[in-house]
Amino acid sequence: MGRFTFAAISGFLLLAAFSGTQASAQEASSSHAWSPAKAAAYLDKRSTWWISWPTASYEQGTFCVSCHTATPFSLSRAALRGPLGESAASPNEQKVLDSVTKRVRMWHDIGPFYTDQARGLPKTSESRGTESILNSLILVWHDAPTGHLSADARLALGNMWALQLKAPDMNGAWAWLQFHNAPFEGDSQFYGNCLAAIAIGSAPGNYQSEPEIQGGIKLLSAWLVKNMDAQKPLDRVVLLWASTKLNGLLTRDQQNKIVEETLAKQREDGGFSMSQMIGPWKRHDDTPLDTSSDGYATGLIAYALEQVQAPQAQAPLKRALAWLNGNQIAADGRWPAVSLNNNRPVLSDTGLFMSDAATAYAVLALTNAPGPVGSK
């Protein structure tokens, strides 16, 4: 293709780099409420770059729905409309929706992000499975506030269901891109399938109760429960979130077990560190993992705890939200995050990828919290 593909992004680009966590923490202001306007400005700037970046471009004027930038942006940007007095989707939100919609409608005529021919088996299957889940999640998330499932979101879900696997040990799951880079492609099929459960459970109009998908839901739920104990703590947090959307996925006892194991990893400053949520993991460049609290782990965990509403999590949740409130980087509106794969300059375009996801989940957690969402 004469350029980096979405696959190449995963190793060198897909996951954000971060260096100088302590310096970034000093930039954050703990004495002021977080700024929705600055968060929106950061997300908009980064999505503008992603949409226009030739590396992310694809056929028919579409672009990758990256786990680190485009997808989190789509989930979080709408949450800022109220605080900012916006009445409609921002221009970049619409561009993402238009790109996703085009690919959903052209699903059988447009190529996958990766092919077996270019990347080896089974990259076509992994690429299709991954994209089908992310397309569904983005379109369902857009529809959810309306209470009505659009034709395009239903089509995306249909494309996804058609790819559900029936093979032994994978019965009920979807293929997911694997490039051995955490947290999004670090042997993270479980993570991707949790996102599928979130998409199904979040679809408006009581979609998850439709008779024709009950068999698929049963298989997915069984696969997730069967495999949950072997997963990284961070992926079990995503399962916890999924269990608040997909009816009957986990029992209350199973939810409480995840809540308790997660809260045990909360740091003294109220935040969470990805290094403590990923299990045994070694960076490709052999540099040590940063153990500081970061915006991705703290934002994702806080948002999941808000969804499950476990009584024992309320005080720890307040501490996590206080960390988020006090650790937005004043200079550009982002939250710091840590690369699990390499130590890269944080302010480079590719080095900001994990901060893109961190900022999105921090926004989701803070705008979902009770009380004022910001003061600036």
Side-chain angles (χ1 to χ4, degrees), residues 4-67:
F4 286 116
T5 63
F6 187 60
I9 295 172
S10 69
F12 167 30
L13 303 173
L14 178 61
L15 293 177
F18 184 81
S19 63
T21 302
Q22 295 303 322
S24 293
Q26 290 173 3
E27 296 177 48
S29 172
S30 61
S31 61
H32 300 287
W34 72 284
S35 168
K38 288 184 178 181
Y42 175 80
L43 291 170
D44 290 345
K45 180 179 179 180
R46 291 292 294 159
S47 61
T48 294
W49 176 78
W50 178 259
I51 290 166
S52 62
W53 190 33
T55 301
S57 66
Y58 205 67
E59 60 187 293
Q60 299 292 327
T62 63
F63 49 86
C64 299
V65 281
S66 51
C67 293

Side-chain angles (χ1 to χ4, degrees), residues 290-301:
D290 194 310
T291 59
S292 302
S293 297
D294 64 82
Y296 181 73
T298 308
L300 177 60
I301 290 169

Side-chain angles (χ1 to χ4, degrees), residues 249-317:
L249 176 56
L250 296 181
T251 65
R252 175 56 74 174
D253 285 345
Q254 289 170 327
Q255 289 180 328
N256 284 336
K257 181 180 178 181
I258 298 173
V259 169
E260 289 161 7
E261 74 169 15
T262 301
L263 295 180
K265 299 180 184 300
Q266 189 169 29
R267 292 167 49 80
E268 290 185 5
D269 63 4
F272 292 85
S273 172
M274 286 175 60
S275 66
Q276 296 177 289
M277 299 298 299
I278 204 67
W281 187 265
K282 186 177 181 180
R283 275 178 163 175
H284 304 318
D285 59 10
D286 290 325
T287 57
L289 292 176
D290 194 310
T291 59
S292 302
S293 297
D294 64 82
Y296 181 73
T298 308
L300 177 60
I301 290 169
Y303 185 67
L305 292 176
E306 288 170 343
Q307 305 308 301
V308 77
Q309 298 182 350
Q312 69 271 35
Q314 295 313 299
L317 173 59

